[in-house]
Amino acid sequence: MKTNKFYVTTPIYYVTAAPHLGSLYSTLLADVAARYHRMMGQEVFFLTGTDEHGQKVAEAAKKADKNPKEFVDGFIESYTSMWKLYEIEYTKFIRTTDQYHVHAVQTWISRLLKQGDIYKGAYTGWYCTPCETFVTEKDQKDQNPGSAQGFAEAREVTCPSCLRPTNQISEECYFFRLSAYQDKLLQFFEQHSDFITPKERLHEVISFVKDGLKDLSISRTTVSWGIPFPGDSKHVTYVWADALNNYITAIGYGRPETEKDLHFWWPADLQILGKDIVRFHAIYWPAFLMASGLEMPKKLLVHGWIKVGDAKMSKSLGNAVDPRSLAALYGVDQIRYYLTRKMAITQDSEFSIADIEQCINSELADDLGNLLNRCSTLAEKYSYTTIQGSASWSPESKKLQEQCAKMIQESLSLIEQGFFYRAVNHVWEFINHVNSYFHASEPWKLAAGNPAKFQETIAATVYSLRAIAVMLWPVMPQKMEMLLESIGYTLPEDKAMISVIENVNWNDSLTIKKIETLFKKYEKIMEEKTIPAAPQVEVNYASIEDFAKIDLRVGMIFQCEIVEKSDKLLKLQVDFGDFGKRQIFSGMRKYFTPEDLIGKQAVFVVNFKPRMMMGMPSEGMMLTADGALVTVSSSIPNGAQVR
């Protein structure tokens, strides 16, 4: 097994308009993954690109009064410049009009024709041009359950992905024998339960395959813009047989002189895509690979949609947000952070300007930027800028060091699973620990009376900041390089930072200096025209008597499990010491796995009237703040009342 390489891909994007926030999101996740693996010293190949064939592109080109190639050429710069703006460091940008790709796809088809996995037939059914997909009979039945009307004779069928009307077509085409791989696919899914993240998507795929697979049309005669079908000039290759193969043609498939590159890089370690194209990547693509004698990808990371209100953000729906405007308003790294941390892999996430500003103000500026500023200001004021580890760390500093090591370990584990947003949450929990340590130590009071303790506090904070900056570098490379420069850590040329990651080394020498403000705060919502003003309401002030009615207690979560049939709930068993044990439900599955919470202390409201959730009683409420637990010192016993 090749352990020192990492191959990550994005979906390739339709070139009918400039990239929007949704396409940036998929590409950013791949960039973050690539940077983490470079940081771990691995050789990385990061592939992205554009899907340039098909009926949708041909129709858009015709409306623009251009030939298709001229039309798609006009969009490439908008993608490459956007990725450059957002510091997307891809290895290769593939275009499906590239001649090596065209030749490789024709080679692939010829091989499968020869072995009998592709054959000529005829297709009658419904086709969605915007999604470049045929609607299956199952999709039609799902829309009209119990309908006695035949699939081919239906008057109208809606696309299950974009919900727009489809067109009925009937034409000669070539088919891929998808049905022949049904049992092999189910066997593969059974043996590789971690093939898709999140697992809920795998369950959907298995259900679809179990309902029965029909052979897949992979050519068209009524469309001329596409890869010519080998041996039959009437046909062009249908988009998915063309597009999906980019993942292997980009690394050498179909070219004898590059076969060694294919064998080195394949299989892909991580393929990132949106949930609307999971069927193509989790069923068609593995079947293509099985027919080709190639290994399966190691993992598909399937993220939800970015939504504006209740609708998916997309170019075709006209609600896409321009990432260039966001970068100009708030900064590139700030938007990279917002998308990585606030858009959950496991579900759809709503885009909000107010959330962006809250992230920048509360988290980036207050939690992290202010910590660096306070530490560097005190270090300069009291002439302790050359930092050296303590020969004998205090118990408080040792605990911080242990929390640092744990943060790195847990974050890297989540990154390996594809849960980048949860990994960043762990980093932020540690940032909160460092702030608590710094505030509790009160170094501004120690400088004169206890200089040794002052220096230890500054040193522990600086070493913690280095670990934080290294772990956040894949998310915010520019800002974290600024932070690392301010504490005298030089980023290695190859970006491999294993020494910091694998050894929480708090004895080497660093030099801290003040720098310009790391993150600028925002005082108001910038896009007032697009965000409705909040209604003016009278504040309903609470009295001290009202607050006294709430019974807040410290509890330790000793058991936690996912609630089936819910994408939000976790079921907690909480120990309140002498106050007893309780079952409490929390809607924090977006932010935590059960493993994250077991053994943690938190604060709970325990005198709410029990209520039924998913048919089971919930006897309290866990307090959280912006996706993080409201925690207490470990010295506080379970059941202690919070006043």
Side-chain angles (χ1 to χ4, degrees):
M1 182 181 290
K2 294 164 284 190
T3 58
N4 206 39
K5 69 91 182 173
F6 181 74
Y7 178 29
V8 60
T9 71
T10 74
I12 51 175
Y13 305 108
Y14 283 131
V15 281
T16 52
H20 61 77
L21 202 65
S23 39
L24 172 62
Y25 179 53
S26 296
T27 316
L28 172 61
L29 291 180
D31 185 68
V32 170
R35 287 175 181 272
Y36 270 116
H37 285 270
R38 287 193 192 104
M39 204 168 76
M40 296 300 293
Q42 289 183 294
E43 192 173 351
V44 171
F45 196 105
F46 168 14
L47 177 68
T48 189
T50 46
D51 184 359
E52 303 180 14
H53 291 129
Q55 186 176 348
K56 181 166 68 171
V57 173
E59 290 180 357
K62 186 176 180 180
K63 287 180 182 178
D65 196 26
K66 295 181 178 180
N67 69 59
K69 184 61 165 64
E70 179 189 10
F71 177 76
V72 296
D73 284 348
F75 283 105
I76 301 306
E77 195 276 335
S78 67
Y79 279 86
T80 56
S81 63
M82 180 74 77
W83 299 162
K84 183 177 180 180
L85 172 66
Y86 272 91
E87 305 168 82
I88 306 294
E89 294 188 343
Y90 56 83
T91 309
K92 189 167 189 173
F93 188 99
I94 188 172
R95 300 178 59 183
T96 54
T97 53
D98 290 336
Q99 282 307 300
Y100 73 85
H101 173 77
V102 171
H103 173 74
V105 169
Q106 290 173 327
T107 300
W108 177 79
I109 291 170
S110 297
R111 289 174 180 174
L112 269 60
L113 275 166
K114 187 175 181 180
Q115 68 191 39
D117 276 304
I118 293 176
Y119 65 93
K120 184 186 281 190
Y123 176 85
T124 298
W126 297 86
Y127 180 76
C128 176
T129 299
C131 291
E132 299 277 17
T133 186
F134 293 98
V135 179
T136 68
E137 192 166 347
K138 178 183 180 301
D139 291 329
Q140 197 268 340
K141 287 178 180 177
D142 288 345
Q143 293 178 41
N144 301 285
S147 172
Q149 188 177 35
F151 176 59
E153 290 77 28
R155 292 185 178 180
E156 182 176 306
V157 173
T158 302
C159 174
S161 295
C162 69
L163 305 180
R164 283 174 286 211
T166 58
N167 299 312
Q168 192 173 30
I169 63 172
S170 181
E171 62 181 291
E172 178 185 272
C173 64
Y174 284 86
F175 287 89
F176 170 76
R177 293 187 190 277
L178 184 63
S179 59
Y181 291 91
Q182 178 171 327
D183 292 342
K184 291 180 181 178
L185 286 167
L186 289 173
Q187 184 181 15
F188 173 76
F189 297 147
E190 183 180 343
Q191 294 173 350
H192 299 83
S193 59
D194 59 347
F195 178 57
I196 300 178
T197 296
K199 289 186 177 180
E200 292 87 342
R201 302 292 177 211
L202 180 59
H203 299 155
E204 296 166 8
V205 168
I206 291 172
S207 177
F208 184 88
V209 175
K210 283 183 175 179
D211 279 347
L213 295 179
K214 294 200 171 182
D215 291 347
L216 179 69
S217 172
I218 63 163
S219 78
R220 303 287 304 275
T221 58
T222 55
V223 178
S224 60
W225 178 238
I227 295 176
F229 207 83
D232 195 335
S233 59
K234 285 170 51 182
H235 292 256
V236 298
T237 307
Y238 169 56
V239 64
W240 289 106
D242 169 1
L244 287 168
N245 277 302
N246 91 90
Y247 303 128
I248 54 175
T249 65
I251 54 172
Y253 179 87
R255 289 169 284 160
E257 69 276 14
T258 55
E259 283 289 321
K260 66 180 188 304
D261 295 326
L262 173 69
H263 293 312
F264 178 78
W265 290 112
W266 192 259
D269 297 274
L270 184 65
Q271 298 205 261
I272 295 172
L273 54 136
K275 68 177 186 179
D276 50 338
I277 53 174
V278 64
R279 182 187 304 173
F280 311 108
H281 285 77
I283 300 174
Y284 303 168
W285 180 224
F288 288 173
L289 291 167
M290 288 176 179
S292 306
L294 293 171
E295 292 180 66
M296 297 298 104
K298 293 181 182 177
K299 184 179 289 294
L300 302 183
L301 181 63
V302 183
H303 61 75
W305 292 335
I306 296 178
K307 299 180 76 174
V308 179
D310 293 328
K312 170 195 174 186
M313 183 183 293
S314 75
K315 293 177 283 190
S316 56
L317 294 178
N319 62 355
V321 174
D322 179 17
R324 294 182 190 276
S325 299
L326 292 176
L329 280 170
Y330 300 110
V332 165
D333 276 10
Q334 289 87 330
I335 300 303
R336 284 178 62 108
Y337 171 80
Y338 168 73
L339 291 176
T340 305
R341 187 178 186 199
K342 300 301 179 179
M343 303 293 114
I345 297 293
T346 53
Q347 61 194 57
D348 297 342
S349 302
E350 189 167 347
F351 169 82
S352 165
I353 288 291
D355 283 349
I356 292 174
E357 295 190 347
Q358 192 276 334
C359 279
I360 295 172
N361 290 349
S362 174
E363 298 166 22
L364 297 178
D366 287 345
D367 292 348
L368 182 53
N370 192 43
L371 176 64
L372 173 64
N373 182 61
R374 293 167 73 195
C375 183
S376 60
T377 298
L378 284 172
E380 283 201 351
K381 182 177 180 179
Y382 294 103
S383 302
Y384 181 59
T385 54
T386 300
I387 308 299
Q388 191 66 49
S390 172
S392 177
W393 294 101
S394 68
E396 296 82 8
S397 298
K398 285 182 179 178
K399 182 179 179 181
L400 188 67
Q401 194 170 14
E402 290 167 2
Q403 289 169 330
C404 182
K406 184 180 179 184
M407 175 272 291
I408 292 172
Q409 182 182 16
E410 291 179 344
S411 296
L412 289 176
S413 174
L414 287 165
I415 289 160
E416 196 64 33
Q417 298 171 59
F419 293 116
F420 306 115
Y421 70 105
R422 288 179 178 166
V424 177
N425 285 343
H426 273 283
V427 178
W428 231 261
E429 284 184 3
F430 179 63
I431 291 172
N432 292 334
H433 286 314
V434 182
N435 272 300
S436 296
Y437 166 87
F438 191 84
H439 184 75
S441 299
E442 298 183 318
W444 51 91
K445 294 182 179 179
L446 297 171
N450 192 345
K453 182 66 174 175
F454 169 80
Q455 292 182 4
E456 178 186 329
T457 302
I458 296 297
T461 303
V462 168
Y463 290 129
S464 297
L465 282 167
R466 179 175 61 178
I468 290 163
V470 166
M471 293 305 295
L472 290 177
W473 173 79
V475 180
M476 298 183 286
Q478 284 188 0
K479 292 294 185 179
M480 293 307 99
E481 286 175 23
M482 286 175 60
L483 196 162
L484 289 169
E485 183 184 354
S486 77
I487 59 175
Y489 178 77
T490 303
L491 207 66
E493 190 173 341
D494 62 359
K495 306 300 191 290
M497 292 173 264
I498 303 173
S499 61
V500 176
I501 295 166
E502 294 185 345
N503 304 300
V504 183
N505 184 0
W506 283 19
N507 57 23
D508 51 330
S509 180
L510 296 172
T511 303
I512 188 169
K513 63 180 179 181
K514 276 187 66 63
I515 59 170
E516 62 183 85
T517 301
L518 204 57
F519 296 103
K520 185 179 78 171
K521 297 184 77 168
Y522 291 85
E523 301 302 324
K524 64 177 183 177
I525 292 173
M526 301 294 289
E527 294 189 0
E528 293 174 344
K529 292 181 180 179
T530 60
I531 306 295
Q536 297 296 315
V537 295
E538 184 178 349
V539 178
N540 183 18
Y541 291 104
S543 67
I544 190 66
E545 290 80 10
D546 292 327
F547 178 74
K549 295 176 184 177
I550 305 298
D551 191 353
L552 299 174
R553 292 187 183 265
V554 175
M556 190 272 288
I557 303 164
F558 65 89
Q559 186 175 324
C560 178
E561 59 188 83
I562 290 171
V563 178
E564 298 298 334
K565 299 182 180 179
S566 170
D567 60 358
K568 296 181 179 179
L569 290 177
L570 294 169
K571 184 171 71 172
L572 316 177
Q573 303 298 330
V574 186
D575 183 357
F576 292 100
D578 294 340
F579 201 71
K581 296 177 181 178
R582 293 194 178 194
Q583 176 173 281
I584 294 175
F585 285 77
S586 173
M588 297 299 289
R589 184 173 167 185
K590 171 180 177 181
Y591 297 102
F592 301 108
T593 64
E595 293 74 19
D596 295 333
L597 296 179
I598 293 173
K600 294 283 181 69
Q601 279 189 312
V603 178
F604 298 82
V605 179
V606 294
N607 65 334
F608 284 160
K609 183 178 179 180
R611 58 174 177 159
M612 300 300 290
M613 302 184 75
M614 304 298 289
M616 296 172 280
S618 180
E619 304 170 292
M621 183 180 76
M622 182 169 68
L623 299 189
T624 63
D626 198 28
L629 294 182
V630 175
T631 57
V632 295
S633 167
S634 60
S635 62
I636 296 180
N638 295 332
Q641 192 167 31
V642 180
R643 296 182 175 87

